Amino acid sequence: MAPAARRRTRAVLAGPLGIGGEYPVSVQTMTKTDTRDLEGTVAQLLCLQARGADLVRLAVPDEQAARMLSAIRRRVNIPLAADIHFDYRLALQALDAGVDKLRLNPGNIGSADRVREVARAAGARGVPIRVGVNAGSLEKRLRAGGVRAAALVESALAQARLLEAAGFTAIVVAVKAADVPLLLEAYRQVAAATDYPLHLGVTEAGTVTTGSVRSAVGIGALLAEGIGDTIRVSLSAPPEEEVRVGKTILSTLGLGPPRPLVVACPTCGRSEFDLQPVVQAVEERLEGVNASLRVAVMGCVVNGPGEAREADIGLAGGGGVALVFRGGKVVRRLRPEELLEGFLAELDDLLAYPGSPASRRST
Amino acid sequence: MAPAARRRTRAVLAGPLGIGGEYPVSVQTMTKTDTRDLEGTVAQLLCLQARGADLVRLAVPDEQAARMLSAIRRRVNIPLAADIHFDYRLALQALDAGVDKLRLNPGNIGSADRVREVARAAGARGVPIRVGVNAGSLEKRLRAGGVRAAALVESALAQARLLEAAGFTAIVVAVKAADVPLLLEAYRQVAAATDYPLHLGVTEAGTVTTGSVRSAVGIGALLAEGIGDTIRVSLSAPPEEEVRVGKTILSTLGLGPPRPLVVACPTCGRSEFDLQPVVQAVEERLEGVNASLRVAVMGCVVNGPGEAREADIGLAGGGGVALVFRGGKVVRRLRPEELLEGFLAELDDLLAYPGSPASRRST
């Protein structure tokens, strides 16, 4: 069972990363270091790669930052995108430095000659360009009477046309907004109007507490409609959090690499066990695991046994004892005081011997 | 600009709370106390009411819990739902105690006579009944070969028919699942098959970190399609968190009561200020505020001034100074060291004098 069929798009390549077409939806983020700080930026990029980011964007506000890109490029192999505004020479320098993608609006780098120069250089290196707007940076003539979805779409597609006029079509489009209803409408319209791949994001979504929920609603609703080829969650938080939330959005919809699903009892007045520490420990244990695995941690006799039996490994409490299921069969009984340790041991056993139908510890 | 037109449904009343029809989408949660613990349960209910829950469900696993409902009912006025399984007498006791809604599947309380007795008692008191299944408790004959959306829908509607056969139609339907793609498909099907109002929820979604994102994707995607009349976020976390996430999902889509929108810069290599403490403080300051208000906290010259000007109150950093905008006009300039205090003072001024076009502190 999958979300709506994915919209058909052209594909582009950002280094080894495919975007659009049949390529899986990817997760982006952006460094929050000063790009001129080589060590800090490289450390953050390595961390983001380890956390599963597929591509990372860096702000390139000036020449010093642009000059640093070559050194950064030599130290990391994760795909990089350079975020450029106003100055076309920064784009050329970034391309020379070996970035895999540009984020740039041709409309704000000056003359058609400059646009052609950037398009030619990007084309020669096989580097795609992401164009697009967000409500915060929309041109004045388009904001009259408040920002409308059609204006976002018009503005983004006008940027794409400037590149097309320069003979360049390796384009990704975004029409970001902070207002999610506006965002949904704008992406639905742009999805109908073009077959370029789309970059999704709720801009300036807030802290991790609020922003992760707002991003999940906006990005998730579009992906569930089959719209979107690469995503970025924008949080006022460390970029690792953006990657974590982005990957969770994808795995929730069965997109992205296979990930364990933890089905966890919310606990209620029916619960006979304190399950929150178990759920927390299980989620932590599975953090780096990329496998399709269903784990159920359930506290009562209403939904517990059903969910636990359905899972690859499940825990169901009730009547003073908790049962551990593997592949639908009870393999162990745990007393309340051995719950956490016993279940984690069983989970580790399953991770070590994925084919094993039942615990080798069972009696 | 709104999400897709909301699906047309019948409406029911749970005490003062309307569900379906033209009533706003409501936010539910469930107590995590033992219902037999009067003081603990009442304290949690009062807290949840203060946090904005519209209705709270309580587990009623036995007669002791059912007997406690009258005492609880006398101490709180938030709408209450009783969660009943297996024993029809508990449903009758809960109705006698004055609960506003039942969550009960007639198929698991025994004979048609018992169903009629509960339906008659609920009807006499004007109390609606929520029926439905989730993948974890689906009957065996329907789970063959894994749970399918059509089986969830068939099972839920069969429960509704048992009540209809007893002459009862004040019904709310749920087809919950932990798998979000399965959930989306099941709700789309049930929305097409019936005009009863729908209760949405991703079951057993996980800890607040993961579960809030998974719930936001599933519930948000359905609401964006116009499906859903009342929601519950199920987390392995305190119920206040469920309410917070539920309210954020609604406000993200422009549903529910008006809420402030904080547009917050994710910060990048372009940021000249440390904005995370400001965003955090602003979100906390606005926690209890129910007003349509747009606040922008932005760090750079790219998207900053546009977002700040568009907002009711905005902060945009750049060039060593941060500008405070109100109603599109600069009303104050703040140095980095006075950023947090200065902006919060300006925000408080706006909250105290909402009509005021500009700071009375401005010079």
Side-chain angles (χ1 to χ4, degrees), chain B residues 165-245:
Chain B
F168 187 91
T169 58
I171 296 171
V172 178
V173 175
V175 285
K176 293 184 173 189
D179 271 300
V180 170
L182 173 65
L183 174 96
L184 297 179
E185 189 53 32
Y187 274 101
R188 286 170 184 152
Q189 288 185 17
V190 80
T194 176
D195 66 351
Y196 287 126
L198 297 179
H199 168 113
L200 305 185
V202 178
T203 50
E204 300 110 18
T207 61
V208 66
T209 317
T210 300
S212 62
V213 172
R214 301 187 65 245
S215 293
V217 169
I219 294 172
L222 289 166
L223 291 173
E225 295 180 21
I227 295 172
D229 302 286
T230 183
I231 71 173
R232 183 206 171 186
V233 173
S234 300
L235 301 176
S236 302
E240 305 89 270
E241 291 293 296
E242 299 187 349
V243 173
R244 180 185 60 71
V245 173

Side-chain angles (χ1 to χ4, degrees), chain B residues 11-96:
Chain B
V12 303
L13 281 173
L17 179 72
I19 300 173
E22 302 288 318
Y23 292 105
V25 179
S26 49
V27 173
Q28 306 193 17
T29 186
M30 195 164 180
T31 48
K32 303 202 175 186
T33 52
D34 187 325
T35 306
R36 293 163 297 192
D37 165 14
L38 177 64
E39 295 305 325
T41 301
V42 167
Q44 192 161 73
L45 287 166
L46 293 173
C47 166
L48 293 169
Q49 183 167 33
R51 299 299 183 95
D54 295 308
L55 179 145
V56 182
R57 181 155 48 109
L58 300 94
V60 185
D62 60 22
E63 215 187 310
Q64 261 186 292
R67 269 201 306 266
M68 201 54 80
L69 290 174
S70 306
I72 294 170
R73 172 75 295 173
R74 280 193 295 274
R75 299 267 297 274
V76 301
N77 61 17
I78 188 168
L80 298 178
D83 192 276
I84 313 270
H85 293 266
F86 313 126
D87 187 344
Y88 81 109
R89 291 165 305 182
L90 300 178
L92 299 176
Q93 284 178 276
L95 290 167
D96 281 341

